[in-house]
Amino acid sequence: MTVEQNVLQQSKAQKHQQTFLNQLREITGINDIQVLQQALKDSNGNLELAVTFLTTKNAKVPQQEEATYYQTALPGNDRYISVGSQADTNVIDLTGDDKDDLQRAIALSLEESNRAFRETGITDEEQAISRVLEASIAENKASLKRTHPEVWSDSPNPYDRKRQDSCPVGLKNVGNTCWFSAVIQSLFNLLEFRRLVLNYSPPASAQDLPRNQKEHRNLPFMRELRYLFALLVGSKRKYVDPSRAVEILKDAFKSNDSQQQDVSEFTHKLLDWLEDAFQIKAEEERDGEKPKNPMVELFYGRFLAVGVLEGKKFENTEMFGQYPLQVNGFKDLHECLEAAMIEGEIESLHSENSGKSGQEHWFTELPPVLTFELSRFEFNQALGRPEKIHNKLEFPPILYLDRYMHKNREITRIKRDEIKRLKEYLTVLQQRLERYLSYGSGPKRFPLVDVLQYALEFASSKPVCTSPIDDIDASAPPSGTVTTQTIPSTTEQQGPSSSEIPSTSPVQRSVIHKPFTQSRIPPDLPMHPAPRHITEEELSVLEGCLHRWRTEVENDTRDLQESISRIHRTIELMYSDKSMVQVPYRLHAVLVHEGQANAGHYWAYIYDHHQRRWMKYNDISVTKSTWEELERDSFGGYRNASAYCLMYINDKEQFLIQEEFNKETGQMLLGMDTLPPDLKDYVKEDNKRFEKELEEWDAELAQKVQQEKLLASQTPRMPAPSSAPVQAGEPEYLEQPSRTDLSKHLKEDSVRAITKALAEQEDGSPETVMQTAIKLEYARLLKLAQDDPPPECDYRLHHAVVYFMQNEAPKKIIERTLLEQFGDHNLSFDERCRNIMKVAQAKLEMIKPDEVNMEEYERWHQEYRNYRETTMYLMVGLELFQKKSYMEALLYLIYAYQNNKELLSKGLYRGHDEELISHYRRECLLKLNEHAAALFESGDDQEVNNGLIIMNELIVPCLPLLLVDEMEEKDIAAVEDMRNRWCSYLGQEMEPNLQEKLTDFLPKLLDCSTEIKGFNDPPKLPSYSTHELCERYARIMLSLSRTPADGR
């Protein structure tokens, strides 16, 4: 059902058309509304012809199967929703040519549709939602009967379910309701929507008895939604249970075996129900004027459809809510929108006497909340099932919609024509470039410049007078027989013959770059094939031609590449002028689906506009997130997760996200203060019940402690770990790094070694087992020290001993370090480990001062701590660089470089790759310099001052660091680039105040002194556990290896 029909319900013709669309959907199993409308249009409203068209033309349809149902994919795991086929006794085969079958299908559909509506007063679409809800409730009830622990079963300890400070509240998954949580949390975090729901009061006429079916459904639902929102605001629980709201939805429908709808359809229907509820209230309160529905004003907009149908022009204004977009075949959101706004032969819209058809959509009125529904499912007719589209689709945090507005349609058409012309020209250039880069007429093609170079090398080789085959035959031993099959025709390899390995094999290609390292050909033969006979005159002419041709090809290739880059840049900047960035929409929420078309899990990323950070809402878990994590999970192409719904809000409409203020005091209202009196009482009652749970738990715990004390007074025993709640510290959702001590990580290694030693020495004494364990641990660490791992895996971070071994620390230092590892108090948890710990501690006490130099021992360990600290500076700096937080990244990279340089001065393996750190430090400075220069060029006083602050406080103090080593040519070149950028302003006309500031600043920039000025104090580093440090270091280094460096 279209949004306009739901909202306005204007004419019988529209209702009649919608009935046809519903019947087409039911008969064919196709849910794409555009495909159905097109079929109805092509058949001139003839249902039979439309069905024939859809079933014979292999129309591309989205994800829904003909009859599906929800069920849990795995026992005891309701995070994944499985969609399976359900047998239908009334199935009619529409794939054959039997016209009677088609007539019977249509008749059956009409009969079922009319009968269901007469009996229940509920539409097919409303019934279609019922099965989802009913399955969720049934699953939740069934979970109460299971003996196995469920994923979302509540912890018996209420402190595990206690909300920490003002952390956002999660929603419990009550059985396949992750889709409900994602949608509700996205809407709840729209503060204007939250206020509308919380302050909704049922109409007075509905206090006695609901008048119709809609009121029976909508008013109870609104009551429960208000309660749910109130709990999300003021509950003391970490998460709340939405079962009552889901139960109301389920009870609102009469369940049948109709097809299950997707989550986008649920969102659409949810807004319909809310709209109906507010419409009832609006009609009651109107004073002769047309009632305004806040849901319509918030979520619905209008567009103008301008087109030509068989040569006749038309214009229609239509209303829309969720705007559907196709994903397949597009790389970003703008491409999707361009395709959605233009259909058919658009050229005919601007010309007369054309028989072609096409239409354009232009937004005339955008809603404050704009939702895009991404179609990531398509129906595979060959396989008879829906499939998910995993293609990558990028979308921006800020979306400018000026190019799609009706008021801008003339300038947009001009720009679209220009882009089309540029793309056509671009295609020609790319084809020409391809001929240079893939030259040849056979199956193998090579860059033309390389072909000319190879020809030049061949011609320039020393001529030979004998055949290489004859020469090898003459020198072969008498007992050997050399055939042309066993001697390669080239001197590239000494391996199998061409008859054994095809010439196109990857083995040959992989060794072609170093062919002579394995050659055993006699030394008097040339290393390359060479011409038999060539005169000096011939060689001179040929070399001259080949040199000239190669230069011409290089110039042509470079010109083509530069032209292609310029066109790409021109297209990218086509809509960047000020007139086309006046309608900004900010990304508010991204609803993500992970899995396939028939199974998956849903969650949401929602932007906290006041804290300016992304949060991840995953059922009961609400955690701090980042744009990088959102990109990875939402863009698609990386794994089976991708966005299926994007919610943008008008960035100029601050009322959408603005907090409430007390009208008398002007203070901001937070938490319970934002609730109406009835909801405040409701939340207080629920909090009292939860506090009672806490008190009962404390009393039960105190009783257990008392009993343990009584037992302890009679029998001495080890103290049991307390199960009392930890109420201090950071809230869970902030995901602060772990404060685990280094020795706790070594405990796992020690226990592993002890376990192996006990297996080898079952009857051995603790001392024997300890010695065996130390030998095993030493062997493991020695292997790590000798391995040659990839850059993302640095074994020195795993253990200090690996660092000591690679840097040839004295053996006594390593032995004492291992003894301290096995003598650590963390091993006191187990009797066997405790015995070994005591032996190790005794050994440490027996070591005499002259056996191990403790000052040297401390120096080695301090150096290792410095190495880990340098690693953290580097890691955090690179992470910030990738986030484009260059000002923050710079200080970390500066200290990483300085500390690393000091480490490397003592040995090659004591630090990190100096060139890597130098590159990113340099890139940071270059990017900050560009930013500061752009601010200066703006001419705005505030921005100019900000740009000069960046230069004076960040860049100028760093220049001596880049100039101190004259061997670092790239650093010196970078300094010259930065200086030249600012010196280029000297010859330009500018305001006198800018000229004065530039004159004052340039001497500082051009100071050639290499004296290093004082810096800020080193940035504070979090304390990472070894596991966290290794994992984050591996992640950032791996991302660098996958992404080409954005530098020189």
Side-chain angles (χ1 to χ4, degrees), residues 6 48 89 164 188 213 219 221 250 375 393 395 426 457 521 527 546 773 800 821 860 906 922 925 964 993 1003 1008 1012:
N6 286 330
E48 180 180 344
T89 57
Q164 297 293 324
F188 171 78
Q213 186 68 31
L219 298 180
F221 173 73
K250 175 255 180 183
S375 178
L393 183 81
F395 47 84
L426 185 64
E457 291 174 0
I521 294 176
M527 300 301 290
L546 289 171
Q821 175 181 331
W860 275 99
K906 301 176 184 177
R922 183 168 59 248
L925 288 166
V964 70
N993 64 321
C1008 295
I1012 298 176

Side-chain angles (χ1 to χ4, degrees), residues 439-669:
Y439 184 80
S441 57
K444 287 187 175 181
R445 297 172 183 266
F446 304 94
L448 180 55
V449 68
D450 291 345
V451 173
L452 295 171
Q453 178 64 28
Y454 297 153
L456 180 62
E457 291 174 0
F458 173 79
S460 304
S461 299
K462 181 181 178 182
V464 295
C465 300
T466 60
S467 167
I469 296 176
D470 295 340
D471 189 51
I472 293 175
D473 284 344
S475 61
S479 59
T481 301
V482 181
T483 68
T484 56
Q485 281 189 325
T486 58
I487 299 297
S489 59
T490 69
T491 59
E492 286 185 354
Q493 52 199 328
Q494 197 73 16
S497 69
S498 60
S499 64
E500 296 171 332
I501 298 180
S503 62
T504 58
S505 74
V507 175
Q508 289 188 351
R509 286 199 296 268
S510 66
V511 299
I512 198 169
H513 301 294
K514 47 179 184 179
F516 312 119
T517 58
Q518 302 169 0
S519 178
R520 300 181 184 276
I521 294 176
D524 56 330
L525 282 182
M527 300 301 290
H528 289 281
R532 300 285 184 85
H533 305 286
I534 186 169
T535 65
E536 291 293 333
E537 184 179 356
E538 290 173 334
L539 180 61
S540 176
V541 172
L542 189 56
E543 283 184 337
C545 290
L546 289 171
H547 272 300
R548 185 176 71 253
W549 295 340
R550 187 175 187 274
T551 302
E552 291 172 356
V553 169
E554 285 179 337
N555 291 338
D556 290 347
T557 303
R558 183 172 59 253
D559 291 344
L560 285 168
Q561 290 172 332
E562 290 176 353
S563 297
I564 289 171
S565 297
R566 282 197 299 271
I567 293 174
H568 277 303
R569 184 66 176 161
T570 302
I571 293 174
E572 288 175 4
L573 298 176
M574 188 63 70
Y575 294 100
S576 62
D577 50 280
K578 287 187 177 180
S579 64
M580 302 302 281
V581 289
Q582 299 302 310
V583 187
Y585 270 69
R586 182 177 295 277
L587 187 61
H588 165 72
V590 180
L591 279 66
V592 180
H593 173 267
E594 180 181 24
Q596 300 295 338
N598 61 346
H601 178 58
Y602 297 91
W603 67 88
Y605 288 101
I606 303 172
Y607 189 66
D608 186 331
H609 298 271
H610 298 283
Q611 297 294 330
R612 295 187 178 181
R613 66 182 176 209
W614 285 96
M615 303 294 293
K616 181 177 180 180
Y617 289 78
N618 191 354
D619 290 330
I620 67 171
S621 172
V622 183
T623 54
K624 183 179 176 183
S625 186
T626 63
W627 175 255
E628 289 71 27
E629 183 184 4
L630 184 152
E631 276 187 347
R632 185 193 67 208
D633 288 349
S634 306
F635 280 8
Y638 173 68
R639 52 186 183 134
N640 291 338
S642 53
Y644 71 88
C645 184
L646 305 176
M647 190 178 289
Y648 281 88
I649 62 173
N650 191 324
D651 205 31
K652 294 184 176 181
E653 301 285 0
Q654 290 300 308
F655 76 94
L656 293 170
I657 55 173
Q658 204 164 39
E659 297 281 3
E660 287 185 85
F661 291 87
N662 187 301
K663 295 179 181 179
E664 296 179 359
T665 64
Q667 292 182 337
M668 184 186 295
L669 298 177

Side-chain angles (χ1 to χ4, degrees), residues 192-229:
E192 177 63 14
F193 180 86
R194 184 193 304 181
R195 282 190 287 270
L196 288 171
V197 171
L198 291 175
N199 293 310
Y200 178 86
S201 57
S205 61
Q207 297 289 341
D208 301 325
L209 185 68
R211 296 169 295 182
N212 52 43
Q213 186 68 31
K214 285 186 176 181
E215 290 187 7
H216 271 292
R217 176 192 68 196
N218 297 332
L219 298 180
F221 173 73
M222 279 302 302
R223 181 182 64 249
E224 291 304 328
L225 189 63
R226 290 183 72 235
Y227 289 156
L228 185 61
F229 272 30

